[in-house]
Amino acid sequence: MDSQPSTSAEIIPLRPRPRIYTRSEHPISRKFISESALKVLYRLDKAGFQAYLVGGSVRDLLLGREPKDFDIATDALPEQVRELFRNCRLIGRRFRLAHVQFGNEIIEVATFRAAHDGETDGAAVTDDGRILRDNVYGTLDDDVWRRDFTVNALYYNIADFSIVDYVGGVEDLRAGRLRLIGQPEKRYREDPVRLLRAIRFATKLGFAMDSATLASIPKLRHLLESIAPARLFDEMLKLFLGGVGHQTFAALRHHSLFHCLFPLTDDALDSPDGEFAIRLIACALANTDARIAQDKPITPAFLFAALLWQNVEEAVAGLQANGVPMTEAMQLAADTVISKQVARIAMPRRFTNVTREIWALQPRLVKHIVKRAPRLTEHPRFRAAYDFLLLRAEAGDPVTEAAEWWTNYLAADEGGRAQLLENTRGTSKPRRHRRQRRRGGTANSPGGG
Ligand code: ATP
Ligand code: MG
């Protein structure tokens, strides 16, 4: 179509030509690409298809970072990809993709897609500009325009090891600039999750948003309310479990996007105890970031516990003031807070159950009724609950004494523990639960952890 003489250039717009960076003009070497991804690329190429590495992996390799995963774009149809690989599954309805599996590693292979423009295919876009379907196949030259940011729209060609850049992505990478492809407002309306992706990539890459990409955010942030809670859960994991969760939290708050994810939490942050809540969340995120850096396991349940703790505490206090006993108050408060929050972010029950247990164990850990200490440590959620207690102490909650007691208890050998239990017996009677005033910020918070 491009090469046909056109009498009406406004109907058939001329397409820009890509800038090609040859192998000697860029630093991506095959030795940084996973063997599995190379296998897929080569096999597609050998079968006569086009095969490109695309998206985050090209971006990260150009930045000298280790890619999280390797995505491939091709002109082979999903069924054709499946025929080439025995270890291949087709997934997705709205968005048919091939997953080629090598041990733990999954290589995602997507067929080039064409953008749905309101003008060319009104049916795929809602009145407010949102994309509903995205399954019309196209060429690389179609595919590039439906990607979000210029730095995410670079293609590494396995046929000649060049990089294909239609959108000035290489220059933006060099300049540390995050820029939406096309008109930002239109692109955000098509898919409001791009608002969150903008914050995520700017933070993770340390890039500055270009002025138009940035300027549309305040006007459009309400669009996030229309995003399905299940999708927001996926997005929340990427935002907070990507290794820079603490900075991402600050950036989301700065751009007033945090409210759409955690409305209850955001309201609590403005309450009289809000400073404590911010410190607790900051400590939890810093803690999670540190664990990710050390390749230690993490769970979103723990973050959920921190994000909503203030709301739970307030609800518990209200119930207790009405004479509801602690255990029951905690359970009721947890039910209320969690059910409100999952209406926004569909955290699966296997996680929210852990969050509840972490909360439910808090009063038991604070009382540390000596007789029950040994049994409590066997609770499957003891460790997480103890970590949460440490976090509260770090953020300035008056639970330092209990936190230290457990730390000593856990560090002691059998004899030491018996001794500790003996010493504590009598001195620690079950105390009445009283809300004490919190101390101000501790030296290493917020975010110093
Ligand atoms: P990460 O390192 O977090 O995986 P990524 O850039 O690979 O970053 P993915 O979410 O894995 O991000 O998506 C892969 C690619 O698909 C992106 O680089 C982008 O080109 C495209 N893409 C993903 N989500 C969208 C979206 N909502 N709108 C447009 N393009 C998108
Ligand atoms: Mg990716």
Side-chain angles (χ1 to χ4, degrees):
M1 227 205 295
D2 293 0
S3 53
Q4 273 175 8
S6 158
T7 48
S8 49
E10 58 286 351
I11 295 174
I12 305 172
L14 283 178
R15 291 202 148 163
R17 286 179 177 284
R19 166 91 160 81
I20 306 285
Y21 294 86
T22 61
R23 175 62 192 93
S24 60
E25 292 173 303
H26 70 75
I28 296 184
S29 152
R30 273 165 289 163
K31 68 172 182 274
F32 301 124
I33 302 173
S34 90
E35 258 177 54
S36 319
L38 283 174
K39 261 188 214 160
V40 177
L41 288 165
Y42 282 132
R43 192 169 305 172
L44 284 165
D45 180 69
K46 230 173 119 191
F49 296 110
Q50 296 173 35
Y52 297 85
L53 213 54
V54 67
S57 57
V58 183
R59 176 196 71 215
D60 290 347
L61 287 172
L62 283 171
L63 289 171
R65 289 162 166 257
E66 192 186 333
K68 218 174 59 192
D69 43 37
F70 291 88
D71 294 333
I72 290 174
T74 178
D75 60 350
L77 296 173
E79 291 72 23
Q80 293 175 311
V81 177
R82 187 169 51 187
E83 274 164 31
L84 285 177
F85 300 95
R86 261 187 306 134
N87 45 337
C88 176
R89 279 191 321 132
L90 298 190
I91 60 147
R93 263 187 294 157
R94 176 184 158 224
F95 210 98
R96 237 166 135 58
L97 294 169
H99 273 180
V100 189
Q101 181 130 21
F102 299 87
N104 285 335
E105 194 180 359
I106 289 179
I107 305 295
E108 195 167 282
V109 185
T111 307
F112 295 137
R113 278 185 185 74
H116 291 265
D117 237 338
E119 296 131 48
T120 55
D121 186 353
V125 178
T126 60
D127 288 345
D128 59 1
R130 203 133 64 88
I131 291 186
L132 291 181
R133 277 183 279 117
D134 194 2
N135 50 12
V136 170
Y137 299 126
T139 60
L140 190 160
D141 179 350
D142 296 313
D143 193 79
V144 63
W145 307 106
R146 45 163 286 283
R147 296 193 176 266
D148 48 7
F149 301 97
T150 61
V151 295
N152 284 351
L154 298 168
Y155 296 71
Y156 170 88
N157 189 353
I158 198 64
D160 61 4
F161 316 124
S162 67
I163 288 172
V164 182
D165 178 8
Y166 275 88
V167 291
V170 171
E171 273 172 36
D172 284 343
L173 262 186
R174 287 181 181 149
R177 188 164 51 222
L178 191 71
R179 185 162 61 93
L180 270 169
I181 297 169
Q183 295 166 358
E185 186 166 337
K186 178 172 176 254
R187 302 304 313 283
Y188 284 135
R189 283 187 189 282
E190 281 174 0
D191 179 6
V193 166
R194 289 172 188 153
L195 292 157
L196 297 175
R197 290 175 62 86
I199 306 294
R200 178 157 72 87
F201 291 122
T203 307
K204 166 174 149 170
L205 305 172
F207 279 20
M209 283 187 228
D210 109 295
S211 56
T213 299
L214 181 66
S216 300
I217 295 179
K219 192 177 148 192
L220 301 175
R221 56 180 163 236
H222 65 279
L223 297 175
L224 280 167
E225 280 159 28
S226 67
I227 301 300
R231 186 153 180 229
L232 284 185
F233 174 66
D234 293 342
E235 219 41 50
M236 182 204 92
L237 296 184
K238 293 185 191 172
L239 285 162
F240 292 133
L241 304 183
V244 287
H246 182 205
Q247 283 167 269
T248 306
F249 169 65
L252 286 169
R253 296 239 303 144
H254 176 76
H255 292 282
S256 305
L257 290 173
F258 183 67
H259 191 86
C260 75
L261 295 172
F262 289 94
L264 297 180
T265 309
D266 204 40
D267 292 343
L269 298 183
D270 293 330
S271 75
D273 254 352
E275 272 184 45
F276 166 75
I278 292 180
R279 282 199 302 274
L280 184 76
I281 294 167
C283 289
L285 287 165
N287 191 292
T288 302
D289 291 343
R291 291 183 67 92
I292 291 169
Q294 297 159 30
D295 271 331
K296 287 189 187 164
I298 39 162
T299 166
F302 189 78
L303 276 185
F304 239 49
L307 284 159
L308 297 166
W309 176 243
Q310 177 83 359
N311 302 91
V312 168
E313 266 206 316
E314 274 166 22
V316 166
L319 288 161
Q320 283 197 297
N322 286 320
V324 181
M326 182 59 179
T327 309
E328 201 185 330
M330 179 59 87
Q331 207 174 354
L332 287 170
D335 285 346
T336 313
V337 170
I338 284 186
S339 66
K340 283 188 190 162
Q341 178 58 43
V342 295
R344 199 81 271 279
I345 296 185
M347 174 94 123
R349 206 180 284 270
R350 67 177 188 280
F351 295 124
T352 55
N353 283 345
V354 175
T355 303
R356 279 170 208 277
E357 289 180 299
I358 291 173
W359 288 339
L361 283 169
Q362 293 308 301
R364 296 169 65 186
L365 288 179
V366 172
K367 283 185 195 161
H368 60 88
I369 302 167
V370 166
K371 224 167 49 191
R372 297 196 190 139
R375 248 209 359 242
L376 213 49
T377 57
E378 280 158 29
H379 191 289
R381 230 50 76 189
F382 171 80
R383 190 72 213 185
Y386 162 71
D387 283 344
F388 194 73
L389 185 71
L390 293 184
L391 204 69
R392 288 173 62 196
E394 189 186 344
D397 223 356
V399 291
T400 318
E401 198 195 321
E404 282 171 2
W405 190 92
W406 282 106
T407 302
N408 292 335
Y409 181 79
L410 294 173
D413 58 17
E414 219 171 297
R417 285 183 180 190
Q419 188 65 55
L420 202 57
L421 290 172
E422 190 55 39
N423 295 348
T424 323
R425 206 181 298 279
T427 63
S428 114
K429 283 191 231 102
R431 277 177 296 169
R432 245 184 322 134
H433 185 84
R434 213 185 307 135
R435 259 169 89 75
Q436 285 171 266
R437 278 213 68 75
R438 280 176 176 126
R439 276 183 268 125
T442 53
N444 55 352
S445 62

